[in-house]
Amino acid sequence: MSRYLVLLIIILILAVIIVIIRPKAQAQPLIEETMATTQQRFTFQPLDQSLRNTLNAQESQVIINKGTERAFTGAYTDTEEEGTYYCRWCNSPLYSSQSKFHSGCGWPSFDDEIPNAVLRYPDADGSRTEIVCATCQGHLGHVFTGERFTEKNTRHCVNSISLVFRQETPVAEAVFAGGCFWGVEHLFEQKKGVYSAVSGYTGGTLADPTYQDVLTHTSGHLEAVKVYYNPLEVSYEDLAKFFFEIHDPTQTDGQGPDIGNQYLSAVFYRSRSEFDTAVRLIEILEAKGLKIATTLRGAAIFYPAEEYHQDYYVRKGSQPYCHAWVKRF
């Protein structure tokens, strides 16, 4: 075989290799470009003041001004009842009684938080780590490690005044809008870990809207569903994935045959964690070629719809006409 023929064969082999490899080399930049474009579409908004409870002077001093109540004076220092500890400022579930233990420090102590409920920041004193509610940023206390009180080797030292205790399993809230609320509510209520779902209106400018108000297309409200769930059984990410799979997130003018601004697709997030989760899921779907029309909006006051809208398909004994589960993740 002549050396020219050998050279020609080598060139052909290299050409084939380049053709095979080139798409793979270009795929990652294309995905990164899609993700960057997706992130630029959305802007995070902190929890609105209207969704936070009114605080008295003592509560404000600790929760807003980052004060500390005196040791051994808090209402929950030695409580042992089973239940859940919620944020006093925004009602988000923070700690389960299963993670509470006696440390002798003079404040309620927990060795773990409910997933994504607490954020950590370097404290102003330069040595400790502050913990705040992930939803409203209300001050809780400080977190310490290395003390070996429990196997998790972690102690959340929390001010009782930052908490509200209820003798119940954790109840978290999530709000989604995906067209007619009858179908969204019906499907969410079948999801494991969900206590209940409520049809209602949110995101508009009119207080206490009725169904007839929303039908005028002038109130700005979307038909939405508030989902009450146990965050120890099902994560917000699982709920958000389910939301994107039970309706068409690419439709821009409504959902199925229901056309109008009250039927638009939207996620109403309460925390940065929920916002980031929704953005990440949209990035995944758009990297698969879907053009997502869903908007991300800061949580607003939710108004339950009239009683005849609740559990509509259960009462009628029928199934959703414009919602169905489609595997997308």
Side-chain angles (χ1 to χ4, degrees), residues 49-68:
Q49 190 64 39
S50 65
L51 300 179
R52 306 184 192 202
N53 296 321
T54 301
L55 303 177
N56 61 33
Q58 288 180 314
E59 293 163 350
S60 296
Q61 177 57 28
V62 173
I63 297 172
I64 299 177
N65 299 325
K66 305 183 184 301
T68 303

Side-chain angles (χ1 to χ4, degrees), residues 102-236:
H102 289 285
S103 66
C105 69
W107 293 274
S109 298
F110 305 87
D111 66 1
D112 203 358
E113 72 268 31
I114 289 173
N116 300 313
V118 173
L119 295 178
R120 295 160 170 77
Y121 295 109
D123 193 80
D125 64 15
S127 60
R128 296 180 299 174
T129 299
E130 180 192 11
I131 47 177
V132 302
C133 170
T135 302
C136 66
Q137 300 287 307
H139 177 74
L140 302 174
H142 294 85
V143 62
F144 303 92
T145 59
E147 300 173 330
R148 302 193 180 281
F149 283 108
T150 71
E151 291 183 358
K152 294 185 178 180
N153 199 25
T154 299
R155 176 171 64 93
H156 291 243
C157 184
V158 185
N159 293 286
S160 290
I161 204 169
S162 297
L163 304 172
V164 173
F165 176 72
R166 302 189 185 109
Q167 289 183 300
E168 62 185 24
T169 54
V171 181
E173 303 174 3
V175 176
F176 303 100
C180 176
F181 44 29
W182 297 341
V184 178
E185 175 204 295
H186 182 76
L187 292 171
F188 263 115
E189 287 194 328
Q190 300 175 44
K191 179 75 172 171
K192 182 180 179 181
V194 171
Y195 298 117
S196 65
V198 177
S199 293
Y201 317 110
T202 192
T205 57
L206 181 67
D208 298 312
T210 65
Y211 185 56
Q212 295 305 315
D213 292 328
V214 176
L215 285 180
T216 66
H217 305 288
T218 60
S219 73
H221 291 90
L222 275 66
E223 289 195 12
V225 170
K226 178 175 283 191
V227 180
Y228 295 92
Y229 68 99
N230 185 338
L232 297 180
E233 290 188 17
V234 60
S235 68
Y236 179 83

Side-chain angles (χ1 to χ4, degrees), residues 289-311:
L290 298 178
K291 188 175 181 180
I292 302 301
T294 305
T295 59
L296 305 186
R297 312 186 187 192
I301 297 175
F302 181 89
Y303 300 96
E306 294 82 351
E307 187 59 32
Y308 66 87
H309 286 300
Q310 309 300 332
D311 298 313

